[in-house]
Amino acid sequence: QVQLVESGGGVVQAGDSLELSCVVSGHVFSHYAMAWFRQTPGSERLFVAAITKSGGSAVYAESVKGRFFISRDDAKDTVYLQMNKLRSEDTALYYCAAAAGGVGTRTYEYHNWGQGTQVTVAS
């Protein structure tokens, strides 16, 4: 029913920028709070950023604050994650997630997930 598809991942050098996109289909996009999580092999999925249904406010993990920016375009049913000054520790599989409620930082608060897009930061 509800489907989330991420794109934009790739291999970049440290210090570079990259923008991820997540297109949502199957339901009214504006009814969901949206978030980005990331995960590396053998580790739990961790919160990166989230944005409210209205797009009026956003929350960021401390590790990406000031470098990553989340935004949404309801006309395009898309949420974005602009990543700047990328570091090797940012290397991970990035997931887009949707929640029917408000913004949260825990995986259990999100009911729909994308397939993930890989971001690899060299050096």
Side-chain angles (χ1 to χ4, degrees):
Q1 195 210 51
V2 178
Q3 184 176 34
L4 285 67
V5 180
E6 304 100 331
S7 63
V11 180
V12 298
Q13 297 296 312
D16 285 354
S17 295
L18 199 62
E19 183 179 71
L20 305 183
S21 298
C22 173
V23 179
V24 181
S25 63
H27 210 259
V28 183
F29 179 69
S30 62
H31 288 185
Y32 303 119
M34 300 296 299
W36 289 94
F37 286 74
R38 64 188 183 187
Q39 185 172 27
T40 54
S43 300
E44 63 179 322
R45 194 167 298 183
L46 300 175
F47 173 78
V48 176
I51 189 166
T52 58
K53 298 174 183 178
S54 67
S57 64
V59 180
Y60 299 92
E62 186 65 29
S63 61
V64 306
K65 195 171 297 181
R67 297 189 299 121
F68 290 13
F69 301 92
I70 187 171
S71 63
R72 64 191 298 159
D73 186 339
D74 290 354
K76 297 180 179 179
D77 294 336
T78 303
V79 63
Y80 305 90
L81 183 66
Q82 176 63 49
M83 305 182 291
N84 302 313
K85 299 179 180 179
L86 285 162
R87 307 164 181 167
S88 59
E89 51 263 46
D90 292 319
T91 295
L93 186 63
Y94 284 71
Y95 295 91
C96 176
V103 169
T105 60
R106 312 287 182 82
T107 57
Y108 66 79
E109 296 177 277
Y110 294 84
H111 59 277
N112 290 105
W113 297 83
Q115 83 288 354
T117 185
Q118 180 67 37
V119 172
T120 300
V121 184
S123 300

